[in-house]
Amino acid sequence: MPRTAITRPAPARGRTRARAALAAAAAVATALALAGCGSAGGGTSDITFHMSKPEAIPYFRALVEEFNDQQDDVRVTLDTASNLSAGFLRGNPPDVGLLNYNYEMARFMERGALSDLSDMPEADRIRPEVQDLVDQYATYPGRTSVLPYSVAAASVIYNVEIFEEHGIEVPTTWDELIAVCDELEAAGVTPIYSTFKDPWTLGQGLFDYSVGGSIDVPGFLEQMEEIGTEVGPDSDVSFQKDILEPSEQMRQLAEYSNDDAASRGYGDGNVAFANGEGAMYMQGPWALGEIAKTNPDLELATFPLPSSDDPDDLKVRVNLDLALWIPEASTEKEAAREFVSYLMQQDVMDEYNAEFLGFGTTTDAAPVTDERIVPMQEYYDAGAFYQGLSRSIPLTIPIDNYIQTMATGGDIPSTLATIDADWARLALRG
Amino acid sequence: MSTPVSTAAASAGALVDEAEHGSVDHLAGSRHDRRGRTRVDPIYYWFLIPTLALFTLTITVPAVLGIFYSFTNFIGFGDWQFTGFTNYIAVFSDPAILASYGFTFGFAIVTVLLVNVIAFLLAVGLTSRIKLKTPLRAVFVIPMVISGIVIAYVFNFLFSNSLPAFGAAAGIPWLSESILANPDLAWVSIVIVTAWQSIPATLLIYIAGLLSIPGEVYEAADIDGAGAARRLWSVTLPLVAGYVVINIIIGFKNYLNVYEVIVGLTNGGPGTATRSIAMTIFTGFTGGDYAYQMANATIFFIIAVAISVLQLRISRGRAAN
């Protein structure tokens, strides 16, 4: 999931005019719809369904068609391209959204733009630890605004053939991991294939793994939130204090990377790793499909990055790859809920997860079967997971760029102090 | 994006103003009514209305709204409150924003110098009596018609792959690593690509300027025994000085808005070494920091207006001479 740099949520401009024009358009549309109802006598509700995960579009297009064919009450239109921020801004967001849940989406939820779904029976099926992931970004009092649909679990992807060839066991402690890296290096194999040119790959990879393995991420963020403007060198919790060690670990691992890591991007990395140019790769399941395009027969597996000396203290990084919501502004909430219930049927969810290497979010979800991600199932079931720190802080702080600085030789303490200063300044304005 | 728009608006204003001073308005369309007053045919006002309406709707209104919201804590939607000058105070104490101003101005100065020196020398060459003058001019203008982001991605490939491969083969250690990945050198790549892209436009203006110099002055210089260097320094340069001023000011203002070339090359990195003002402003939309970056944009707008006013002063001063 490379984050596109050039998405342009429309700024707030010409709001009043746009709203007036929309109101007029809506009035006309309503009049037409009423006229339509009058003549046809039916009660078909039209809803739009926003789903923009590129690789899953054909899948959901087929699903929407199937749903439209099997009943006449609700007509769903798949929307894969419109701008969400602009939709919310104008007051005409899609009726159902199914997309990556992140800090950006949380903004809408925090301001009450998403409706309460807690009374839907489907909401009770969600695993509580998974539902908690939503609340880590933001909450709206008294509401369950977002239903997690699919979780992507990420950890170290490794080349099984290379590991076996050198007789290497999967490391379970930090020291073992370093020993593995040294051994590979001595054997002339690049231990870790890195793509520093795309800062996000570092953020969600080495950095999140190093931090998530040793820090209680939600607890850290909660305290940071409380301290707010006081965050700094003397505060109880801060990046420069709590994240220093993980950052140094990240740097130590980064040094085991390919020599040209600084000029390699995500796409280069997938091809190189597929061609066996590195033993380990810090990417999520989204990369597995890309690697398979180059080398479908490559045997891969995953293990959580150990960052302490306790072999039982292992966690995987997760993110809410897809989550469902219905905006407060939707005029067809009932129809939207009907479609949400359809999508939330267990077999529909299981089928999606099986195809896109996702983990189920409900208590009755089927376990994953793909060999490459099966090793993560036990950690996922045990709730041994965390959301990446780099994706849990306000987007205004260019965290990925700071991480890039730290990983490629920049001064770690001073960069962390800069993040603290950014944090405090943001709290002041907030 | 409000920044490029606002600077564009400012420079459009400046150009309009200039045109008025060149005064073409008395030429056509005016008739004298019975009392001898000049009466302008209303049709000329009708010509203005569509543009005026569009300009107001798409540029003036959003700009005013943006400035308005810079005094609030608006995040793009939902509730908001007035926060007075909080955003402005925060902007002035934000090292990330100050660094982006430092980077952008430094970049603009270096680029404007490089572009003008190269374009001027090229223009001198392309207006002299050389063979293949016309096809050469066409070749030099090609970069102008390619979109900036495309150029940036092509150069990105060259800097990340081709150049390091060449450096490694030739045994030049500093070249065998991508300069895009070097925080101290990444800005050089942005200067090179921006210059490559914007030399043609500058070149065209210089060619026009050089062609407007009458042949007699060179003949006179020849008679006085001036050599080529002397002619260039004492005849050509003073006579195209107006074009130099225009190129420098317009170029400088454009380079302050640098955005897509950086997105295509370094995306602000490595680290935060190459984040331009326009990029920081844009994070206001992607990062939900709308009001704050509107304050930044407002400050940037004021700077752009100041530069436009300066440009007007200088060009009027020259016109008066």
Side-chain angles (χ1 to χ4, degrees):
Chain A
M1 39 138 245
R3 299 197 315 156
T4 40
I6 326 169
T7 43
R8 298 193 165 203
R13 281 182 191 154
R15 273 162 34 98
T16 8
R17 268 163 213 268
R19 200 174 282 163
L22 263 166
V28 173
T30 319
L32 286 175
L34 285 176
C37 286
S39 56
T44 308
S45 312
D46 284 303
I47 61 168
T48 45
F49 167 48
H50 189 101
M51 207 305 301
S52 50
K53 180 176 168 150
E55 58 270 36
I57 289 171
Y59 179 87
F60 280 101
R61 185 170 290 135
L63 204 62
V64 164
E65 245 166 59
E66 201 181 297
F67 177 73
N68 284 340
D69 286 345
Q70 66 179 231
Q71 47 77 44
D72 291 325
D73 299 335
V74 182
R75 246 211 108 72
V76 180
T77 312
L78 180 64
D79 170 6
T80 59
S82 63
N83 185 313
L84 273 183
S85 297
F88 276 102
L89 198 67
R90 289 189 304 249
N92 70 334
D95 297 290
V96 178
L98 177 63
L99 62 160
N100 193 266
Y101 192 73
N102 51 30
Y103 218 91
E104 207 171 343
M105 261 328 287
R107 293 188 292 144
F108 297 111
M109 194 250 250
E110 200 174 13
R111 305 245 168 167
L114 305 180
S115 70
D116 183 26
L117 303 175
S118 59
D119 57 320
M120 289 186 72
E122 286 77 8
D124 299 330
R125 284 174 32 225
I126 309 274
R127 277 177 61 186
E129 313 92 282
V130 176
Q131 189 69 49
D132 279 348
L133 295 175
V134 173
D135 298 344
Q136 281 170 25
Y137 287 130
T139 50
Y140 190 86
R143 280 192 195 172
T144 302
S145 317
V146 175
L147 300 181
Y149 193 79
S150 174
V151 164
S155 52
V156 182
I157 301 174
Y158 70 97
N159 185 320
V160 177
E161 201 181 308
I162 296 183
F163 267 49
E164 280 173 359
E165 194 182 313
H166 295 89
I168 290 170
E169 295 277 313
V170 167
T172 54
T173 65
W174 171 254
D175 292 337
E176 280 176 30
L177 177 64
I178 294 300
V180 165
C181 289
D182 286 333
E183 204 177 329
L184 286 166
E185 203 163 51
V189 178
T190 301
I192 300 172
Y193 200 93
S194 295
T195 52
F196 299 156
K197 189 179 165 194
D198 282 331
W200 70 268
T201 64
L202 253 173
Q204 63 80 46
L206 271 180
F207 180 78
D208 278 354
Y209 293 177
S210 306
V211 173
S214 43
I215 297 282
D216 166 27
V217 176
F220 170 72
L221 288 167
E222 208 171 295
Q223 279 177 285
M224 288 287 284
E225 203 77 51
E226 261 168 44
I227 304 176
T229 53
E230 303 296 316
V231 168
D234 303 321
S235 58
D236 289 342
V237 175
S238 64
F239 273 88
Q240 50 199 309
K241 197 181 287 174
D242 298 72
I243 310 300
L244 180 62
E245 206 187 313
S247 299
E248 281 166 348
Q249 285 184 310
M250 167 189 74
R251 165 92 138 256
Q252 197 180 340
L253 288 177
E255 280 160 8
Y256 287 106
S257 300
N258 41 315
D259 292 336
D260 58 356
S263 59
R264 298 294 100 181
Y266 174 61
D268 306 317
N270 291 336
V271 173
F273 192 70
N275 291 329
E277 287 178 37
M280 292 178 269
Y281 193 44
M282 310 295 168
Q283 274 294 353
W286 44 84
L288 293 172
E290 301 300 311
I291 294 167
K293 281 181 194 165
T294 307
N295 187 351
D297 302 324
L298 187 67
E299 197 187 335
L300 299 173
T302 43
F303 67 86
L305 187 121
S307 54
S308 73
D309 290 328
D310 179 1
D312 296 322
D313 181 22
L314 295 172
K315 294 188 209 129
V316 293
R317 178 191 188 274
V318 293
N319 66 294
L320 291 170
D321 188 41
L322 289 181
L324 274 165
W325 39 259
I326 299 177
E328 197 60 70
S330 165
T331 50
E332 297 282 358
K333 287 204 192 64
E334 278 315 308
R337 280 164 168 249
E338 213 168 298
F339 184 59
V340 165
S341 298
Y342 173 77
L343 291 174
M344 289 286 292
Q345 293 172 87
Q346 201 49 58
D347 52 333
V348 175
M349 294 178 88
D350 285 344
E351 205 180 313
Y352 170 82
N353 285 323
E355 186 156 344
F356 293 93
L357 305 180
F359 284 82
T361 56
T362 55
T363 44
D364 46 356
V368 296
T369 50
D370 190 286
E371 285 299 325
R372 296 168 292 183
I373 58 170
V374 160
M376 289 191 278
Q377 182 81 47
E378 57 169 308
Y379 302 102
Y380 182 68
D381 287 342
F385 53 70
Y386 56 87
Q387 282 191 116
L389 178 60
S390 75
R391 292 295 166 277
S392 309
I393 69 164
L395 299 165
T396 333
I397 300 176
I399 184 85
D400 287 337
N401 295 61
Y402 291 142
I403 293 168
Q404 192 186 35
T405 302
M406 293 192 288
T408 55
D411 186 57
I412 294 177
S414 77
T415 310
L416 292 173
T418 308
I419 301 177
D420 283 331
D422 281 0
W423 184 283
R425 208 173 310 104
L426 196 60
L428 182 72
R429 289 189 280 122
Chain B
M1 289 283 307
S2 84
T3 352
V5 169
S6 52
T7 4
S11 65
L15 288 176
V16 168
D17 224 35
E18 253 168 70
E20 263 170 25
H21 268 261
S23 107
V24 277
D25 49 356
H26 64 277
L27 284 179
S30 53
R31 276 179 281 169
H32 296 277
D33 65 10
R34 262 172 255 153
R35 272 172 293 179
R37 266 193 334 213
T38 312
R39 197 174 67 84
V40 178
D41 194 318
I43 191 83
Y44 290 99
Y45 288 108
W46 285 108
F47 284 157
L48 290 179
I49 282 177
T51 313
L52 196 66
L54 278 175
F55 190 86
T56 310
L57 193 68
T58 58
I59 294 176
T60 317
V61 170
V64 170
L65 271 176
I67 294 170
F68 172 79
Y69 281 125
S70 70
F71 295 100
T72 70
N73 65 355
F74 190 56
I75 63 162
F77 58 89
D79 305 330
W80 49 267
Q81 283 145 6
F82 278 105
T83 55
F85 281 92
T86 313
N87 286 330
Y88 287 88
I89 294 163
V91 164
F92 282 113
S93 66
D94 189 334
I97 290 184
L98 297 181
S100 76
Y101 274 83
F103 165 75
T104 310
F105 275 84
F107 159 81
I109 291 167
V110 173
T111 312
V112 90
L113 290 176
L114 187 73
V115 165
N116 279 282
V117 169
I118 296 177
F120 181 76
L121 295 178
L122 274 177
V124 171
L126 289 173
T127 47
S128 56
R129 266 161 294 180
I130 55 167
K131 279 180 188 157
L132 295 174
K133 193 154 59 177
T134 317
L136 272 179
R137 278 186 199 173
V139 167
F140 281 112
V141 171
I142 286 174
M144 207 171 139
V145 298
I146 311 173
S147 135
I149 193 86
V150 175
I151 295 173
Y153 278 121
V154 171
F155 272 91
N156 186 331
F157 186 86
L158 293 177
F159 287 133
S160 312
N161 301 297
S162 312
L163 215 54
F166 170 78
I172 311 170
W174 64 269
L175 201 60
S176 55
E177 203 176 300
S178 166
I179 63 166
L180 295 180
N182 185 334
D184 301 323
L185 288 181
W187 66 275
V188 176
S189 68
I190 297 166
V191 169
I192 293 173
V193 176
T194 309
W196 191 82
Q197 184 196 13
S198 57
I199 282 173
T202 315
L203 172 68
L204 286 183
I205 293 177
Y206 278 132
I207 289 179
L210 291 172
L211 292 177
S212 71
I213 300 175
E216 296 91 68
V217 292
Y218 287 112
E219 282 167 28
D222 272 340
I223 292 167
D224 289 342
R230 179 79 201 197
R231 270 196 317 230
L232 184 66
W233 186 250
S234 302
V235 178
T236 314
L237 255 180
L239 285 174
V240 294
Y243 295 87
V244 176
V245 171
I246 287 179
N247 268 335
I248 285 181
I249 292 182
I250 292 182
F252 187 70
K253 232 163 35 183
N254 284 341
Y255 305 143
L256 286 184
N257 286 328
V258 60
Y259 181 77
E260 83 263 33
V261 167
I262 299 186
V263 169
L265 282 176
T266 61
N267 207 5
T272 51
T274 57
R275 267 159 71 97
S276 73
I277 303 172
M279 287 183 80
T280 41
I281 291 174
F282 194 65
T283 58
F285 304 128
T286 50
D289 215 357
Y290 182 79
Y292 180 57
Q293 293 300 346
M294 270 340 282
N296 186 4
T298 305
I299 294 168
F300 191 39
F301 173 69
I302 291 168
I303 293 173
V305 169
I307 295 172
S308 298
V309 169
L310 184 77
Q311 173 191 2
L312 262 182
R313 282 263 174 97
I314 294 174
S315 45
R316 268 187 200 163
R318 291 200 53 81
N321 294 340

